[in-house]
mmCIF file of all heavy atoms in Angstrom:
data_model
loop_
_atom_site.group_PDB
_atom_site.id
_atom_site.type_symbol
_atom_site.label_atom_id
_atom_site.label_comp_id
_atom_site.label_asym_id
_atom_site.label_seq_id
_atom_site.Cartn_x
_atom_site.Cartn_y
_atom_site.Cartn_z
ATOM 1 N N LEU A 110 12.522 -11.339 -10.128
ATOM 2 C CA LEU A 110 13.792 -11.240 -9.422
ATOM 3 C C LEU A 110 14.090 -12.556 -8.723
ATOM 4 O O LEU A 110 13.183 -13.214 -8.201
ATOM 5 C CB LEU A 110 13.749 -10.119 -8.378
ATOM 6 C CG LEU A 110 13.611 -8.681 -8.888
ATOM 7 C CD1 LEU A 110 13.519 -7.724 -7.703
ATOM 8 C CD2 LEU A 110 14.769 -8.308 -9.786
ATOM 9 N N ALA A 111 15.359 -12.915 -8.688
ATOM 10 C CA ALA A 111 15.776 -14.127 -7.980
ATOM 11 C C ALA A 111 15.582 -13.943 -6.480
ATOM 12 O O ALA A 111 15.590 -12.807 -5.977
ATOM 13 C CB ALA A 111 17.239 -14.427 -8.284
ATOM 14 N N PRO A 112 15.389 -15.022 -5.724
ATOM 15 C CA PRO A 112 15.245 -14.906 -4.270
ATOM 16 C C PRO A 112 16.470 -14.232 -3.655
ATOM 17 O O PRO A 112 17.601 -14.690 -3.863
ATOM 18 C CB PRO A 112 15.116 -16.359 -3.812
ATOM 19 C CG PRO A 112 14.621 -17.101 -5.009
ATOM 20 C CD PRO A 112 15.250 -16.422 -6.182
ATOM 21 N N GLN A 113 16.271 -13.139 -2.930
ATOM 22 C CA GLN A 113 17.393 -12.396 -2.360
ATOM 23 C C GLN A 113 17.006 -11.569 -1.145
ATOM 24 O O GLN A 113 17.869 -11.024 -0.461
ATOM 25 C CB GLN A 113 17.995 -11.458 -3.407
ATOM 26 C CG GLN A 113 16.999 -10.449 -3.971
ATOM 27 C CD GLN A 113 17.491 -9.749 -5.207
ATOM 28 O OE1 GLN A 113 18.250 -8.780 -5.102
ATOM 29 N NE2 GLN A 113 17.089 -10.242 -6.368
ATOM 30 N N PHE A 114 15.703 -11.490 -0.849
ATOM 31 C CA PHE A 114 15.240 -10.616 0.224
ATOM 32 C C PHE A 114 14.784 -11.422 1.439
ATOM 33 O O PHE A 114 14.222 -12.508 1.315
ATOM 34 C CB PHE A 114 14.083 -9.732 -0.259
ATOM 35 C CG PHE A 114 14.452 -8.819 -1.390
ATOM 36 C CD1 PHE A 114 14.115 -9.142 -2.698
ATOM 37 C CD2 PHE A 114 15.157 -7.649 -1.151
ATOM 38 C CE1 PHE A 114 14.458 -8.319 -3.746
ATOM 39 C CE2 PHE A 114 15.514 -6.816 -2.199
ATOM 40 C CZ PHE A 114 15.170 -7.142 -3.500
ATOM 41 N N ASP A 115 15.027 -10.848 2.615
ATOM 42 C CA ASP A 115 14.546 -11.442 3.859
ATOM 43 C C ASP A 115 13.142 -10.965 4.197
ATOM 44 O O ASP A 115 12.381 -11.671 4.865
ATOM 45 C CB ASP A 115 15.493 -11.070 5.003
ATOM 46 C CG ASP A 115 16.908 -11.531 4.741
ATOM 47 O OD1 ASP A 115 17.161 -12.748 4.843
ATOM 48 O OD2 ASP A 115 17.756 -10.680 4.402
ATOM 49 N N LEU A 116 12.815 -9.760 3.725
ATOM 50 C CA LEU A 116 11.501 -9.180 4.004
ATOM 51 C C LEU A 116 11.032 -8.389 2.794
ATOM 52 O O LEU A 116 11.811 -7.672 2.166
ATOM 53 C CB LEU A 116 11.576 -8.239 5.214
ATOM 54 C CG LEU A 116 10.280 -7.511 5.568
ATOM 55 C CD1 LEU A 116 9.291 -8.465 6.221
ATOM 56 C CD2 LEU A 116 10.537 -6.313 6.479
ATOM 57 N N ALA A 117 9.749 -8.530 2.471
ATOM 58 C CA ALA A 117 9.100 -7.666 1.482
ATOM 59 C C ALA A 117 7.975 -6.931 2.182
ATOM 60 O O ALA A 117 7.284 -7.500 3.035
ATOM 61 C CB ALA A 117 8.557 -8.479 0.308
ATOM 62 N N VAL A 118 7.774 -5.676 1.815
ATOM 63 C CA VAL A 118 6.725 -4.874 2.447
ATOM 64 C C VAL A 118 5.892 -4.199 1.372
ATOM 65 O O VAL A 118 6.420 -3.664 0.390
ATOM 66 C CB VAL A 118 7.328 -3.839 3.423
ATOM 67 C CG1 VAL A 118 8.335 -2.937 2.736
ATOM 68 C CG2 VAL A 118 6.224 -3.003 4.073
ATOM 69 N N MET A 119 4.577 -4.262 1.534
ATOM 70 C CA MET A 119 3.617 -3.571 0.678
ATOM 71 C C MET A 119 2.771 -2.729 1.623
ATOM 72 O O MET A 119 1.848 -3.231 2.263
ATOM 73 C CB MET A 119 2.758 -4.572 -0.105
ATOM 74 C CG MET A 119 3.570 -5.613 -0.852
ATOM 75 S SD MET A 119 2.556 -6.779 -1.800
ATOM 76 C CE MET A 119 2.140 -5.745 -3.211
ATOM 77 N N TRP A 120 3.080 -1.421 1.703
ATOM 78 C CA TRP A 120 2.556 -0.597 2.780
ATOM 79 C C TRP A 120 1.517 0.406 2.300
ATOM 80 O O TRP A 120 1.474 0.766 1.132
ATOM 81 C CB TRP A 120 3.717 0.134 3.464
ATOM 82 C CG TRP A 120 3.406 0.581 4.859
ATOM 83 C CD1 TRP A 120 3.220 1.855 5.290
ATOM 84 C CD2 TRP A 120 3.252 -0.255 6.008
ATOM 85 N NE1 TRP A 120 2.944 1.873 6.646
ATOM 86 C CE2 TRP A 120 2.961 0.585 7.113
ATOM 87 C CE3 TRP A 120 3.317 -1.641 6.222
ATOM 88 C CZ2 TRP A 120 2.740 0.098 8.398
ATOM 89 C CZ3 TRP A 120 3.097 -2.126 7.495
ATOM 90 C CH2 TRP A 120 2.821 -1.269 8.569
#
Side-chain angles (χ1 to χ4, degrees):
L110 294 177
Q113 59 193 278
F114 299 100
D115 302 286
L116 177 74
V118 56
M119 308 181 77
W120 202 251

